[in-house]
Amino acid sequence: MANHKSSEKRIRQTETKRLHNRYYAKTMRNAVRDLRATKDKAAAEAMLPKVSAMLDKLAKINVIHSNKASNLKSKLALYINKLK
């Protein structure tokens, strides 16, 4: 249990940020999953810029690590290039 007003406030802030980050991380995972499930190359190419932008924004605000964003973008680009 918190003994200071500042630590009580920090607990409230942490919970708010945790829920915020959880929402955006889940949204990102769903977008990546949908892109990987796409078998149509034209549709996948149309989705890639939006997903890449989302990954970059989440890396910028430290929801995910910047290297993770780069790795995901690279793997998605390879996946799209292999589609016919």
Side-chain angles (χ1 to χ4, degrees):
M1 194 65 190
N3 292 323
H4 300 280
K5 279 190 151 196
S6 60
S7 57
E8 289 173 352
K9 181 178 178 181
R10 176 56 59 196
I11 289 168
R12 291 193 306 269
Q13 289 176 329
T14 302
E15 180 64 13
T16 303
K17 288 180 182 180
R18 185 185 72 83
L19 292 173
H20 178 268
N21 290 344
R22 190 172 139 199
Y23 169 77
Y24 282 106
K26 183 67 173 176
T27 304
M28 177 267 306
R29 286 196 303 271
N30 287 338
V32 170
R33 185 187 66 212
D34 291 343
L35 180 56
R36 285 187 176 139
T38 306
K39 301 297 180 196
D40 181 33
K41 186 167 185 163
E45 286 176 340
M47 290 171 69
L48 184 63
K50 294 174 187 167
V51 174
S52 293
M54 181 188 298
L55 291 168
D56 288 335
K57 286 176 187 173
L58 292 179
K60 183 178 179 182
I61 62 174
N62 292 319
V63 174
I64 61 173
H65 197 275
S66 59
N67 289 354
K68 181 177 179 68
S70 296
N71 288 336
L72 283 171
K73 290 190 322 186
S74 175
K75 288 179 183 180
L76 290 172
L78 286 172
Y79 170 74
I80 289 174
N81 287 336
K82 288 180 183 177
L83 288 176
K84 292 184 176 159

